Amino acid sequence: MIVDRYYYHQLNKQEQAIYKAFYNGAMLHQEIIPIPVRGKFTQDSFERIFMAMTRDNPLIYFLNQSACSTASDMFGHIAICPQYFFSKEKVKEYNRKIEKKVNELAGQLHLLECNDYKKELRVHDWICRNVAYDYEGSDKDKLSRVIASHNILGVFAHHKAQCEGIAKAVKVLLNAVDMKCIVVTGDSTKSGQCVPHAWNIVNIDGEPYQLDVTWDTSTTGQNKQFVVYDYFNLTDELMNQDHKADSSLPICRSKKANYYVQRGWSFQMRHRLMKYIDRLIEKNERIYEFRAEGRLNKVAIEKEVADYIVRKLQAYGRSCNRIRTSSNRGLGIYRIEIL
């Protein structure tokens, strides 16, 4: 297991000292946590430290993020007054269950027997197949549901969570098997609607990549056998089309560990794409999936490839009653299924 505290290192020295005191106090379940600062302590500083600590440490799932406050005495001493969702004894019980589940998954998915790319792929696939997006996780009338869906309990205990819970579970699982991974928060835009969102940045062979398991899970939908990889290891250029982070992050430029690049399904030239399609037709495949890059994604490539497949199948005397297409045009990802 590695301790990956990216946001801690973005703080200044005084903020780091407060972060440490806050972390140690929260882990001990203290009701009043003295911090090493006297005099003025701004709300902005407190929020920056709080966000850094909770993003770096998903195992602090028992802290009420909306109810922590600060207090000071007549001598200028300052303390943080946290509120906890669960008792100290309940947290110990949950921790044992979480540790057991993480260890079981590490064994079940053979995460200690593969490279970092495969670790990430197996965690991504497990969540897409076993965790549902919790659409009731924002219902304030169901407080326990809200608490679980926004942290790792939703994933490990209930197999239902929202983006924050999923992103934090990804970090816990990957950090547990010695892989760097951070939680990213910000906004995302889908169907014209901008909403708060959380996702990850992972490190593969020294290169950072953007990863959004929540959006891949949502697109995977009910058909858990067909996993979507649209947001698996993107560059900043691609991710920033519909995601906007609220903090400074590692720069993601590499395409090498992108899912489609790794599979050899990413194309910039039409003739190479068509050769790939020909190979799938010869194998009598039913699903044709690829990514079009650069200029290739600026033409009506989906229709062109679909028409080409139909013509080829007819030439081979194979039946093709109809086809179903789906795409993420912004990312240049296309799926054509023969029905």
Side-chain angles (χ1 to χ4, degrees):
M1 173 181 281
I2 63 170
V3 177
D4 189 5
R5 289 182 177 153
Y6 171 82
Y7 293 103
Y8 169 82
H9 295 289
Q10 310 309 306
L11 303 173
N12 62 42
K13 287 187 184 274
Q14 184 185 57
E15 290 171 337
Q16 288 178 350
I18 297 169
Y19 175 119
K20 287 180 181 177
F22 192 4
Y23 173 82
N24 291 332
M27 294 301 288
L28 292 172
H29 228 72
Q30 291 178 346
E31 294 183 3
I32 298 176
I33 304 173
I35 57 175
V37 62
R38 296 182 68 176
K40 189 176 181 181
F41 181 49
T42 67
Q43 184 66 21
D44 284 346
S45 291
F46 174 68
E47 289 178 0
R48 186 164 55 253
I49 294 164
F50 188 93
M51 290 301 294
M53 191 187 75
T54 53
R55 283 182 292 189
D56 280 345
N57 303 280
L59 287 171
I60 302 183
Y61 56 86
F62 46 84
L63 193 62
N64 187 341
Q65 297 185 28
S66 62
C68 281
S69 61
T70 59
S72 59
D73 63 17
M74 60 185 295
F75 302 106
H77 300 113
I78 298 176
I80 295 173
C81 305
Q83 287 190 21
Y84 301 103
F85 289 127
F86 313 110
S87 67
K88 191 173 183 178
E89 291 70 29
K90 195 67 176 177
V91 169
K92 288 181 180 179
E93 177 188 336
Y94 279 144
N95 284 348
R96 286 192 295 269
K97 291 180 178 179
I98 290 168
E99 182 179 8
K100 181 181 178 183
K101 184 63 177 179
V102 170
N103 289 336
E104 284 177 355
L105 283 172
Q108 175 188 330
L109 302 177
H110 305 286
L111 297 181
L112 293 173
E113 303 168 21
C114 57
N115 61 28
D116 284 350
Y117 175 83
K118 289 184 178 177
K119 289 175 185 176
E120 178 194 8
L121 186 68
R122 291 172 185 182
V123 168
H124 171 279
D125 289 0
W126 181 83
I127 291 177
C128 285
R129 289 190 171 113
N130 295 280
V131 178
Y133 188 84
D134 190 356
Y135 290 97
E136 296 182 20
S138 297
D139 187 345
K140 293 181 180 179
D141 292 331
K142 301 178 180 179
L143 183 58
S144 62
R145 188 77 168 263
V146 174
I147 293 169
S149 71
H150 285 80
N151 64 55
I152 58 176
L153 288 179
V155 172
F156 297 131
H158 308 296
H159 289 198
K160 280 188 177 182
Q162 293 200 347
C163 57
E164 185 179 1
I166 290 172
K168 287 181 174 179
V170 170
K171 176 176 171 63
V172 167
L173 284 167
L174 294 181
N175 284 174
V177 291
D178 302 322
M179 182 172 165
K180 287 186 175 181
C181 174
I182 65 176
V183 174
V184 181
T185 56
D187 297 316
S188 65
T189 303
K190 187 177 258 189
S191 303
Q193 186 177 11
C194 182
V195 296
H197 191 49
W199 62 100
N200 299 96
I201 288 180
V202 299
N203 190 289
I204 305 287
D205 297 328
E207 293 284 356
Y209 296 89
Q210 301 261 11
L211 168 71
D212 192 339
V213 181
T214 299
W215 275 25
D216 281 352
T217 297
S218 299
T219 308
T220 295
Q222 298 299 315
N223 184 8
K224 296 298 184 180
Q225 296 305 309
F226 180 66
V227 176
V228 171
Y229 300 93
D230 290 14
Y231 290 87
F232 191 95
N233 292 356
L234 300 188
T235 61
D236 290 341
E237 181 183 3
L238 290 174
M239 192 63 122
N240 290 345
Q241 292 181 32
D242 41 34
H243 291 60
K244 183 179 179 181
D246 59 15
S247 56
S248 177
L249 297 167
I251 297 172
C252 304
R253 294 195 186 98
S254 178
K255 300 178 181 179
K256 185 177 178 182
N258 173 267
Y259 176 79
Y260 289 90
V261 172
Q262 285 283 313
R263 294 298 302 266
W265 296 353
S266 189
F267 304 92
Q268 294 182 347
M269 302 180 71
R270 180 182 274 96
H271 75 275
R272 290 183 177 173
L273 169 59
M274 292 310 185
K275 283 185 178 179
Y276 161 74
I277 296 299
D278 282 338
R279 290 196 298 272
L280 296 183
I281 292 172
E282 289 172 5
K283 293 178 181 178
N284 202 25
E285 295 286 353
R286 188 174 59 87
I287 296 175
Y288 300 76
E289 185 175 1
F290 61 92
R291 187 176 80 161
E293 295 188 62
R295 293 181 182 178
L296 192 59
N297 191 38
K298 298 187 185 301
V299 298
I301 194 66
E302 182 180 49
K303 184 177 186 307
E304 181 180 342
V305 172
D307 290 347
Y308 179 80
I309 293 169
V310 171
R311 290 197 305 272
K312 278 282 191 175
L313 291 176
Q314 289 174 345
Y316 282 118
R318 298 179 193 165
S319 61
C320 179
N321 296 325
R322 62 190 181 94
I323 61 174
R324 178 168 56 202
T325 62
S326 61
S327 63
N328 185 326
R329 295 182 188 279
L331 299 180
I333 295 169
Y334 301 91
R335 298 178 191 85
I336 302 169
E337 184 177 0
I338 307 301
L339 302 174

